[in-house]
Every structure is written in structure tokens, then in C-alpha cells.
Amino acid sequence: MGAGHHHRLHLPGDSLVHRLPPQCKLAAVVCFALVVVATPREWFGLFAGYGALLAAVAVIARVPPGFLLRRMAVEVPFVVFAVALPFVGSGERTPFLGLSLSVAGLWAAWNILVKATLGVLASVLLAATTDPRMILLGAQRLRLPSLLVQIAMFMLRYLDVILAEMRRMRVARESRGFAARDVRHIPVIARSAGALFIRSYERGERVHLAMLSRGYTGSMPVLADGSASSRQWLAAGMLPGVALVALLGVWGLA
């Protein structure tokens, strides 16, 4: 997998976090997310501690707070859903600023917001410190199903190609005076989507034939040594390890 242009989620750098092998970081983020999900929603202090751990990782990786905040916009649907829960929840109600809110809904909203925020923040840090192609290489090193990894690899490789094709089709429509203003133009958009699908399918067929002619046998060659040392695994494991120790410690005192 050759190096290409930088993805907008990736922030190139040379920090300790950037240099860690991708499989170490990928495993660390998954394990950290599992610890966060396993934490009872009432343990506010632990969630604050998890946030502090992620903040420490961001400082070590030299990822600016503004960079993280802008890329956490993906969490907006979770926020909208969580905000609605206190209003539609059932059971005991509590007044707040003249509103009657569901206690169970408030707890559910808090649970979703805090865990989703921590999970998204950890994922954004992973993406910021790891090139997308290296993340897929890390998934391959972790023995994820080869077919899924290859599908994701090709999706990443050709997504920009398909988007560029879609932009060219839009420019062609607009150059002929087309402008989608109301529902009457839906058939034109639908035909364009169908044409884009056919072009993408045909491109995929050509790419597959080209790969077969070059000796493709069902697995992609790995051109770089992505092995990780025990020290690198230990460094990556500090994030979920400290979180797990804190969770077990509080659990033992509870």
C-alpha cells in the first residue's frame, strides 16, 4: 500500500504516538472503548479520568484541541438523539427550567453522550496520528478477515476517484443549464446516480481484470515491515491499561 495524499482526518507528525505501529494503536483504541462502555454511568469521576487520559495522548501527539473539536462533528447525531431522550422518556419526572424531564431519560442521555464522546475522541486521535492506509495495514496485522480489509482498502483508494467522477457529472449538468430546485428534478438526479453506479461497477471490473493479469491471487502484498516490538505494545497499552486499572480499583472499592 503506497503512500498517497493525506486524508483530512490525518495530521502528519513525528511524535511518539505517530511512530507507534498501527496495529498497536488500533488494539489500544478498541480496548479503551470496551473499558469505557463497561464503566457504570454513575461513576462520573472515572469518565473525567478517561478524558484526562485522552487529553494526555493528544498533548504527547501534539494534536491541537481545535483540530479534534472540528472533527468530532460526526457525533452530532448522537447528541441530537441524546438530547431528545429526557423529553420522550417515561417514568419519574423532574422539573428543570420550567420543563418536565424524565429521570431515566436524563441518565440515558448522559450515558450515551459521555461514552460516545470518549469513543469518538479516541477514534479521532487514532485517525489524526495514523494514515488511513496504515490503519488498514494494522487491521491486517491483527488478523481481521482479509476480505473485509481488502474491501475497505479499495473503498479508501477509489473513494476520491468516484467523488471526482460525481463532480464532473454535476459540472456537466450545470453547464447545460440544469439546477435542482424542486421535486420535478428528482428523476434527473436519479438517472445520474444510476449512471454513476454503472461507471463505478465497470471501473471495478476493469481494476479486477488488471489485478488478475498482474498475478492477484486473493491477497494483497505487504511491502513494508509492520511488526511491533514488545516495548511498542506496552506503550500503546498504557491508555487502556491505566483506564482498566482505574475501573477495577473503583469497582473493588464500591
Side-chain angles (χ1 to χ4, degrees):
M1 291 181 292
H5 65 275
H6 293 300
H7 194 273
R8 67 185 186 89
L9 289 176
H10 180 52
L11 183 65
D14 191 35
S15 68
L16 171 63
V17 182
H18 283 82
R19 291 193 298 270
L20 286 175
Q23 62 267 31
C24 299
K25 291 184 279 188
L26 190 58
V29 169
V30 172
C31 292
F32 176 78
L34 292 176
V35 173
V36 171
V37 171
T39 304
R41 61 189 182 185
E42 298 86 359
W43 295 1
F44 304 106
L46 272 182
F47 292 118
Y50 298 155
L53 285 175
L54 292 177
V57 173
V59 170
I60 295 173
R62 295 191 286 274
V63 179
F67 181 92
L68 295 175
L69 291 175
R70 288 192 299 272
R71 281 147 184 83
M72 288 184 67
V74 68
E75 192 189 3
V76 170
F78 294 97
V79 174
V80 173
F81 175 73
V83 169
L85 288 178
F87 297 96
V88 301
S90 58
E92 181 185 353
R93 316 290 294 187
T94 183
F96 179 75
L97 297 178
L99 301 173
S100 178
L101 304 179
S102 167
V103 174
L106 286 171
W107 276 114
W110 158 254
N111 192 48
I112 292 173
L113 277 178
V114 69
K115 293 182 179 180
T117 299
L118 290 170
V120 170
L121 184 56
S123 301
V124 171
L125 280 171
L126 171 66
T129 58
T130 316
D131 185 87
R133 291 174 177 80
M134 296 306 295
I135 293 179
L136 293 177
L137 177 60
Q140 189 174 3
R141 290 283 179 181
L142 292 175
R143 301 293 190 271
L144 267 68
S146 176
L147 182 59
L148 294 180
V149 174
Q150 290 186 54
I151 290 173
M153 192 182 302
F154 286 118
M155 182 184 69
L156 177 66
R157 170 63 182 85
Y158 289 100
L159 180 61
D160 288 341
V161 176
I162 301 303
L163 291 176
E165 184 75 23
M166 186 171 62
R167 284 192 294 269
R168 286 193 294 270
M169 294 174 66
R170 177 177 58 81
V171 171
R173 289 196 305 268
E174 293 177 352
S175 67
R176 291 165 173 80
F178 174 80
R181 296 189 178 90
D182 51 50
V183 294
R184 292 176 300 174
H185 298 116
I186 290 179
V188 177
I189 301 299
R191 285 193 292 270
S192 297
L196 179 63
F197 174 79
I198 293 173
R199 291 185 185 183
S200 302
Y201 183 84
E202 291 175 344
R203 184 186 295 272
E205 288 290 319
R206 293 195 299 270
V207 169
H208 184 242
L209 290 175
M211 291 170 59
L212 292 177
S213 68
R214 288 164 174 79
Y216 175 71
T217 59
S219 61
M220 298 295 292
V222 178
L223 303 179
D225 180 19
S227 59
S229 66
S230 55
R231 181 174 298 181
Q232 290 172 322
W233 277 108
L234 180 61
M238 290 295 292
L239 174 65
V242 172
L244 180 60
V245 169
L247 175 61
L248 294 178
V250 175
W251 219 316
L253 296 175

